[in-house]
Amino acid sequence: EYTEALSLFEKVIENDPGNMASHFYSGISLQETGMYKSAIEEYKTVIQNKDNLFTEQAEWYTGLCLLQINDNRKAYRQFKKIAESNGFNQDKAKEILKNIKIVE
């Protein structure tokens, strides 16, 4: 039901652009329907807002989206930032960093 959910989140955002929960869950819906670049934009909105409960998760899912679109350089930087934080996903980010292949 991600497509239907996305439509509902878009309506909320239209009426309340500062609703970071709707931006975050819109990103999840976009990601789950394969629209990774659009999901990254939603997550970016959440991350730039900073003062919300979804920032850390938005950073994590941004990294996952970057892997999905094969942007390994940006994904590496994203997971490195997470690995260097004291956040919930720190250890998982360190594991992912071991497996990211960056082509020179």
Side-chain angles (χ1 to χ4, degrees):
E1 307 292 331
Y2 289 109
T3 303
E4 186 177 323
L6 181 59
S7 173
L8 297 172
F9 292 129
E10 287 172 348
K11 288 178 185 175
V12 172
I13 292 168
E14 186 177 309
N15 292 320
D16 182 9
N19 186 314
M20 291 302 117
S22 292
H23 281 286
F24 176 73
Y25 289 115
S26 177
I28 294 288
S29 298
L30 288 161
Q31 184 174 355
E32 290 295 327
T33 55
M35 294 185 274
Y36 303 111
K37 290 182 181 181
S38 296
I40 290 169
E41 290 305 312
E42 289 297 333
Y43 296 141
K44 192 181 296 184
T45 298
V46 173
I47 294 165
Q48 289 172 345
N49 180 269
K50 293 183 183 171
D51 189 26
N52 64 79
L53 300 172
F54 302 97
T55 303
E56 190 174 330
Q57 293 132 314
E59 289 174 344
W60 173 256
Y61 286 115
T62 295
L64 296 179
C65 285
L66 290 166
L67 288 176
Q68 287 294 113
I69 61 173
N70 295 313
D71 193 338
N72 288 357
R73 286 185 192 283
K74 284 184 183 175
Y76 184 87
R77 288 193 299 266
Q78 184 70 24
F79 286 115
K80 187 170 178 13
K81 177 182 170 187
I82 294 168
E84 292 172 349
S85 73
N86 285 326
F88 180 75
N89 293 310
Q90 180 182 26
D91 292 335
K92 289 193 285 187
K94 288 177 182 177
E95 287 301 312
I96 288 175
L97 285 171
K98 294 177 187 175
N99 295 308
I100 293 179
K101 304 281 188 272
I102 299 178
V103 178
E104 295 295 329

